Amino acid sequence: MNTAMDIGGGWKEAVISVRDLRVWIDLATVEFGWMLGHRGPVSASQLAAWGLPVSAAAEEALFHCGNEAQGLVRFIQFTNVDRQQRVRAGAMPWDTGGIFSLMVRTRNMT
């Protein structure tokens, strides 16, 4: 996994909060063909930097595509935190959730 900074080369990393990390790990590896670069607990110092309570905990999984310098995707599952805000604040009763779109690019679709 290439962790070098690529200034001007696009966004480095997207961070996505998920309810079930296992589901997203399976989806990312099986369906998307992404490679798992790291999986483990989020540090207490990072949780504190996000302003979360001391009781908060989280597990993360960082995915990458080959040796690209950008386009990393980090999924995080939080525990012991209150649900803050809906993804789509103007949601109507018939909505099942927010609209989620993450634009990624590839050099080779296969």
Side-chain angles (χ1 to χ4, degrees):
M1 178 170 64
N2 184 350
T3 57
M5 290 299 289
D6 183 10
I7 305 301
W11 53 270
K12 177 71 174 177
E13 177 180 321
V15 179
I16 304 165
S17 173
V18 298
R19 283 185 197 249
D20 188 342
L21 187 61
R22 291 172 299 153
V23 168
W24 285 92
I25 289 173
D26 291 344
L27 187 67
T29 46
V30 175
E31 298 297 327
F32 303 163
W34 294 350
M35 292 168 263
L36 181 61
H38 163 76
R39 181 178 182 182
V42 176
S43 71
S45 61
Q46 180 63 57
L47 295 172
W50 286 332
L52 295 172
V54 177
S55 61
E59 184 181 2
E60 66 184 3
L62 177 67
F63 283 89
H64 62 97
C65 291
N67 201 31
E68 295 293 328
Q70 66 272 348
L72 284 73
V73 178
R74 184 180 309 266
F75 297 108
I76 301 180
Q77 180 181 340
F78 293 94
T79 53
N80 301 327
V81 294
D82 292 330
R83 186 173 173 179
Q84 295 295 315
Q85 184 177 7
R86 287 186 270 173
V87 171
R88 193 169 165 197
M92 301 305 276
W94 55 82
D95 286 339
T96 59
I99 297 172
F100 177 75
S101 177
L102 177 65
M103 302 298 175
V104 295
R105 57 186 177 271
T106 181
R107 293 187 194 283
N108 183 348
M109 285 298 288
T110 58

